[in-house]
Each structure stands twice: as C-alpha cells, then as structure tokens.
C-alpha cells in the first residue's frame, strides 16, 4: 500500500474514532441534562419570594453536583471545535497557575 493511502487510512480511522467518542459523550451529556429538568423552577423560588424546603435543598445539591461533574464535557464536547481547543485550554490554565504563584510555575 502506498504511504499516502496508509496515512489517509489512519486519518480516517482516527476521525471515525473521535467522532464515535463525541457522539457517545453527547448522548451521555443529554441524558444527564434531562435529569436536571426540575432545576430551573427550584432555582427561581427565592427570586419569586419563596423559600426552599429541606427536600428541595437536597435536590438542588444533587443537581449542582451532577452538573459540576459534566463541566469538562461541556467544554470539550458541546463547543464547536472544543476538542481541538484543548491545548489552548491547557495553556490558559497553566498561565493562570503561573500568575497565581507570582510568576513561578507551581510543581
């Protein structure tokens, strides 16, 4: 097989693999988001002058905990080109860490 065809074959397999991963994670994300459907009415209660009950506070903690575990997926899967922005995101996080330590990188 000529080298160009080998490269093309590997590129196609890599693309299909990444595409499959993206689709699986999108489905997982949608399933998790559907479980948080009751979140907005609970969040709006204090704004409407109502108080949260003890059960609603527990439910609110559960919803927010579930969403906090999904935040990396929101960046990498949902944003267009998010997967390709991963190196930029890593650089930005490293830059923030360096600035927080007074210019010295944290080890």
């Amino acid at each position: 097989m000529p080298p160009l065809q080998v490269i093309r074959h590997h590129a196609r397999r890599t693309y299909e693999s990444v595409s499959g991963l993206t689709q699986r994670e999108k489905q997982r994300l949608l399933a998790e988001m559907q479980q948080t459907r009751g979140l907005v009415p609970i969040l709006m209660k204090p704004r409407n002058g109502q108080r949260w009950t003890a059960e609603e506070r527990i439910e609110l903690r559960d919803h927010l905990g579930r969403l906090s575990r999904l935040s990396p997926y929101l960046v990498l899967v949902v944003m267009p080109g998010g997967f390709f922005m991963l190196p930029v995101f890593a650089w930005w996080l490293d830059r923030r860490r360096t600035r927080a330590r007074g210019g010295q990188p944290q080890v």
Side-chain angles (χ1 to χ4, degrees):
M1 189 181 283
L4 186 58
Q5 287 180 343
V6 171
I7 293 171
R8 195 176 296 155
H9 174 72
H10 286 300
R12 185 178 310 126
R13 285 184 56 200
T14 302
Y15 173 78
E16 289 171 358
S17 176
V18 170
S19 178
L21 173 69
T22 303
Q23 289 301 320
R24 284 190 304 273
E25 292 302 323
K26 278 185 182 181
Q27 292 301 321
R28 179 179 174 270
L29 179 65
L30 287 174
E32 287 289 334
M33 294 296 274
Q34 287 177 348
Q35 290 183 4
T36 60
R37 286 196 177 221
L39 179 62
V40 173
I42 294 172
L43 287 174
M44 293 303 290
K45 277 195 164 191
R47 176 154 177 124
N48 294 332
Q50 301 171 351
R51 292 187 178 264
W52 289 322
T53 64
E55 294 84 20
E56 288 171 337
R57 287 180 188 270
I58 292 170
E59 188 176 347
L60 187 60
R61 267 190 231 120
D62 290 342
H63 284 309
L64 294 177
R66 189 177 300 117
L67 288 174
S68 71
R69 287 188 299 270
L70 290 177
S71 63
Y73 291 107
L74 293 174
V75 172
L76 294 176
V77 177
V78 176
M79 275 183 33
F83 185 75
F84 298 105
M85 292 299 292
L86 185 58
V88 174
F89 186 58
W91 170 82
W92 182 73
L93 287 174
D94 185 50
R95 198 170 136 251
R96 283 184 15 160
R97 182 182 56 164
T98 302
R99 192 178 320 162
R101 300 278 282 158
Q104 294 297 325
Q106 187 178 13
V107 179

